[in-house]
Amino acid sequence: MTRAEATGIATFSGDKVLDVWYPDPLSNDDALVAEMEGSDTARGVVRRVVKTVVPDLTRPPTGPEDAYLRLHLLSHRVFRPREVNLEGIFGVLNNVVWTSEGPCDAEGFALARAKLIADGRTPSVTSVDKFPRMTDYVVPAGVRVADADRVRLGAYLGQGTTVMHEGFVNFNAGTLGRSMVEGRISSGVIVGDGSDIGGGASIMGTLSGGGTEMISIGKRCLLGANSGIGISLGNDCIVEAGLYVTAGTVVTLDDGSTIKGRDLSGVDDTLFRRHSVTGRVEALSREGTWGGLNETLHDNV
């Protein structure tokens, strides 16, 4: 499927689209959103029904309504990360003040805040950003999210995933099955079923100088606390706590030879560790399991 069509409710500040909510991105039923039309004079916004048609999801988004539909399709698990073109999305989304009273235009927000307070409303600002929290628009079945501020709309969370308080999942990234997320899953990164992203662990993405390499984590992998990777991992791999492996990292193999980290990208059954005496980074062949996820914890159905 490369075409998408849905009915949503958009928040306008003048001609500027602040956000769009598509309750059911596979439906064109106006009745789902028609009753939400209206205005908020204190915030200076109007809510209107919009019908959005995206002829080709393989092409970049053309406007905020288009972009929001693509983000909804990802968080509703209609498409997986990388299956929808999000090139240039920062250029079509507007910067928004996200508040407990709803989205506000960043321009002139001080006046809007004053009007809200005068109405007896006490707006709390959660962020100033182009992307809202996923859970304000989509709550996927069978997941746990300890801190909703740390999962952006457009994240893909597989059923059985738990995102702990310090975990973070960006848009166009996520988990394909049961996973524990206590570290950072950057934009473009995919994590396989049964993998654990340890506390403070980091996976290099493609934004802000991260390059063009799309990184994947295989099934049943473990990234130790405060570890990081700039290469893909195959299935059943472990990265030792505190170790960061990039494409240019010199790695010593079982036989004593050395190669660059990029040459091990995607290889299964590998343990990456730092030798406690010499300090060299080693990649050792491994068998068995590191223990796996706590099945009771991830039984989120």
Side-chain angles (χ1 to χ4, degrees):
M1 181 174 74
T2 60
R3 183 182 186 277
E5 180 177 349
T7 301
I9 188 79
T11 306
F12 288 85
S13 173
D15 294 331
K16 185 185 297 184
V17 177
L18 301 184
D19 79 332
V20 188
W21 178 38
Y22 298 97
D24 183 353
L26 298 179
S27 170
N28 299 310
D29 185 3
D30 293 2
L32 286 172
V33 293
E35 294 184 3
M36 289 184 283
E37 285 195 315
S39 62
D40 186 334
T41 55
R43 288 192 291 134
V45 301
V46 176
R47 296 185 303 276
R48 294 198 292 266
V49 172
V50 295
K51 299 192 75 169
T52 304
V53 178
V54 181
D56 188 355
L57 292 166
T58 67
R59 299 186 64 81
T62 58
E65 297 94 334
D66 179 337
Y68 267 92
L69 179 52
R70 296 174 194 235
L71 295 174
H72 277 73
L73 291 169
L74 285 164
S75 289
H76 275 280
R77 301 195 290 232
V78 178
F79 291 95
R80 291 182 173 188
R82 308 180 194 168
E83 292 182 345
V84 174
N85 190 335
L86 297 178
E87 182 181 353
I89 194 169
F90 286 97
V92 300
L93 293 178
N94 291 303
N95 209 32
V96 175
V97 180
W98 303 101
T99 82
S100 55
E101 298 291 331
C104 296
D105 196 336
E107 296 181 16
F109 174 67
L111 179 59
R113 190 204 296 264
K115 288 182 177 179
L116 286 166
I117 293 173
D119 282 351
R121 301 154 72 181
T122 53
S124 175
V125 176
T126 57
S127 66
V128 182
D129 195 6
K130 291 175 179 282
F131 291 81
R133 298 180 295 196
M134 180 191 73
T135 54
D136 288 341
Y137 297 80
V138 182
V139 179
V143 304
R144 297 170 62 220
V145 179
D147 186 347
D149 286 337
R150 301 184 65 81
V151 181
R152 272 174 152 180
L153 182 63
Y156 183 110
L157 300 184
Q159 184 157 319
T161 287
T162 294
V163 183
M164 294 301 290
H165 296 78
E166 294 305 316
F168 173 76
V169 186
N170 212 337
F171 73 97
N172 197 30
T175 61
L176 302 185
R178 295 186 174 198
S179 290
M180 169 61 77
V181 182
E182 297 180 274
R184 189 178 81 231
I185 301 179
S186 302
S187 186
V189 173
I190 294 176
V191 176
D193 180 55
S195 290
D196 187 325
I197 311 303
S202 175
I203 307 170
M204 191 180 295
T206 56
L207 302 177
S208 300
T212 59
E213 179 77 17
M214 291 288 194
I215 293 178
S216 299
I217 306 296
K219 298 179 180 179
R220 302 174 300 277
C221 290
L222 172 63
L223 266 63
N226 297 314
S227 66
I229 56 169
I231 62 172
S232 292
L233 297 181
N235 297 325
D236 301 294
C237 292
I238 296 176
V239 180
E240 180 186 68
L243 175 63
Y244 207 118
V245 181
T246 68
T249 300
V250 177
V251 180
T252 301
L253 303 179
D254 291 320
D255 61 4
S257 63
T258 60
I259 58 175
K260 292 291 184 68
R262 65 173 61 92
D263 298 318
L264 292 168
S265 186
V267 176
D268 295 338
D269 301 302
T270 304
L271 165 63
F272 292 91
R273 72 179 189 187
R274 188 177 295 279
H275 194 284
S276 60
V277 177
T278 65
R280 69 188 182 192
V281 176
E282 298 178 328
L284 308 178
S285 300
R286 61 177 301 275
E287 296 179 357
T289 176
W290 48 270
L293 299 176
N294 183 321
E295 292 298 323
T296 301
L297 181 65
H298 294 271
D299 186 11
N300 293 324
V301 179

